[in-house]
Amino acid sequence: KRAPLPSTTGSSYSASGALWAAHDAVLRLGLLPAPVRGQRVHFKAMVVGATGAIGSVCARLLAMVAEEVYLVSPETAKLLSLKGSILKETPDAKLFLSARADKDIADMDMIVTATSGAGKKVLDIMQVKPGCVITDVARPLDLPPEEVAKRPDVLVIESGEILLPGQVSMKNIGLPKNVAYACLAETIVLALEGRFDNFTVGRNIEWEKVREIYRLGRKHGMKLAAISGVNGPFTEADIRRVRKLALAARAKVAPAVAKARRPTKRIVTRRRKAGQAARKT
């Protein structure tokens, strides 16, 4: 309230960048059916840390497009409140709540982790569906390199970084030239637009601002930087390798699932007798 300069946390562009990167990664993997205009996309998404600042807005945006969205948080009251709020905005959304990620994680096509776990294990990556895209928004990361290495058939990306236009002079922040974290890029976009007002303040992020900062960023030449994982940017060869391994893993799982669902001889005999009795009557 007393600051002489406008302030922003940058969380609106962080949320936008996370979903921008996830969307790009899903398209490049090519494992989901092509979306039909005006219809929900046939995939299941999970947000771990859904009651947090970035997690909640990711949940709101995913609820508008995904077939099913699973919200995970140990804060039950906040989770129920978030669900009610999302359903007011998107009444036809299919939402499921859980205190733990592992309960439904095997069916997810996309997972966003946005916790403040600070080193705690938030999900078991060994239970994740082959070909799943995990976007790790948390800092420090929810999934350390040693966990990611266990699943070469899963695409784990960090939240989307932004490629700045023009010749940029900035200190080394551990990213490639002209690339900035989305939260930092938010201040740059606002300055270029001449928006000298407090934009994103507090923990409650408005999804309208997430959409607005994305639109303003594109207007001023911001692009999504190469999607990166714990070992740096993914090349097209990396994406193809993950896709190949995912398809191979799914092919192995399919026969086992079919066998488990196949009725036993006793059940088949009982069904046959019931059918014969029905025809007699």
Side-chain angles (χ1 to χ4, degrees), residues 50-52 71 73-85 97 203:
T51 54
L71 311 178
S73 173
E75 301 176 292
T76 307
K78 288 185 178 180
L79 208 53
L80 290 170
S81 176
L82 176 63
K83 180 181 179 181
S85 177
L97 309 184
R203 293 183 60 82

Side-chain angles (χ1 to χ4, degrees), residues 190-262:
L190 294 171
L192 290 172
E193 183 65 13
R195 288 284 299 274
F196 303 118
D197 56 329
N198 297 325
F199 192 77
T200 310
V201 180
R203 293 183 60 82
N204 294 321
I205 306 173
E206 303 170 36
W207 75 264
E208 292 89 350
K209 287 190 173 181
V210 175
R211 184 170 59 179
E212 182 181 12
I213 198 68
Y214 170 79
R215 179 181 59 80
L216 291 176
R218 295 301 294 260
K219 172 185 173 182
H220 290 286
M222 303 290 168
K223 297 179 181 179
L224 181 68
I227 58 173
S228 299
V230 294
N231 296 314
F234 285 103
T235 64
E236 287 301 324
D238 293 330
I239 301 291
R240 287 195 298 268
R241 183 165 55 253
V242 174
R243 173 183 166 82
K244 182 179 180 180
L245 291 171
L247 289 173
R250 290 184 182 187
K252 290 180 180 178
V253 171
V257 172
K259 184 177 180 180
R261 290 177 177 174
R262 192 178 302 148

Side-chain angles (χ1 to χ4, degrees), residues 5-219:
L5 295 174
S7 301
T8 184
T9 62
S11 292
S12 291
Y13 217 10
S14 289
S16 174
L19 294 179
W20 193 359
H23 175 262
D24 185 65
V26 167
L27 288 180
R28 289 169 66 182
L29 268 182
L31 293 173
L32 292 181
V36 178
R37 188 176 181 83
Q39 296 183 15
R40 289 185 172 276
V41 185
H42 186 66
F43 78 104
K44 296 180 181 181
M46 174 181 285
V47 182
V48 184
T51 54
I54 295 175
S56 61
V57 76
C58 286
R60 292 179 190 280
L61 293 172
L62 285 169
M64 296 177 183
V65 295
E67 195 172 50
E68 296 178 7
V69 180
Y70 292 72
L71 311 178
V72 179
S73 173
E75 301 176 292
T76 307
K78 288 185 178 180
L79 208 53
L80 290 170
S81 176
L82 176 63
K83 180 181 179 181
S85 177
I86 292 175
L87 289 176
K88 285 182 181 178
E89 300 169 355
T90 315
D92 63 336
K94 290 185 179 180
L95 305 176
F96 302 87
L97 309 184
S98 179
R100 295 173 57 252
D102 294 347
K103 180 174 177 289
D104 302 292
I105 203 169
D107 295 326
M108 297 301 111
D109 299 294
M110 178 191 296
I111 301 170
V112 177
T113 67
T115 78
S116 54
K120 295 180 181 177
K121 189 171 183 177
V122 300
L123 59 85
D124 183 357
I125 197 170
M126 298 309 296
Q127 295 187 36
V128 173
K129 180 179 181 179
C132 178
V133 172
I134 302 177
T135 305
D136 195 339
V137 188
R139 294 297 181 273
L141 296 170
D142 280 329
L143 293 169
E146 57 271 20
E147 283 290 296
V148 175
K150 296 177 181 178
R151 291 298 303 274
D153 59 339
V154 171
L155 191 62
V156 182
I157 64 176
E158 298 184 9
S159 57
E161 277 79 45
I162 304 298
L163 179 63
L164 307 175
Q167 297 300 313
V168 181
S169 177
M170 60 190 295
K171 292 183 177 180
N172 182 4
I173 57 173
L175 295 176
K177 183 176 174 57
N178 278 36
V179 175
Y181 294 110
C183 55
L184 176 59
E186 183 168 312
T187 65
I188 299 171
V189 172
L190 294 171
L192 290 172
E193 183 65 13
R195 288 284 299 274
F196 303 118
D197 56 329
N198 297 325
F199 192 77
T200 310
V201 180
R203 293 183 60 82
N204 294 321
I205 306 173
E206 303 170 36
W207 75 264
E208 292 89 350
K209 287 190 173 181
V210 175
R211 184 170 59 179
E212 182 181 12
I213 198 68
Y214 170 79
R215 179 181 59 80
L216 291 176
R218 295 301 294 260
K219 172 185 173 182

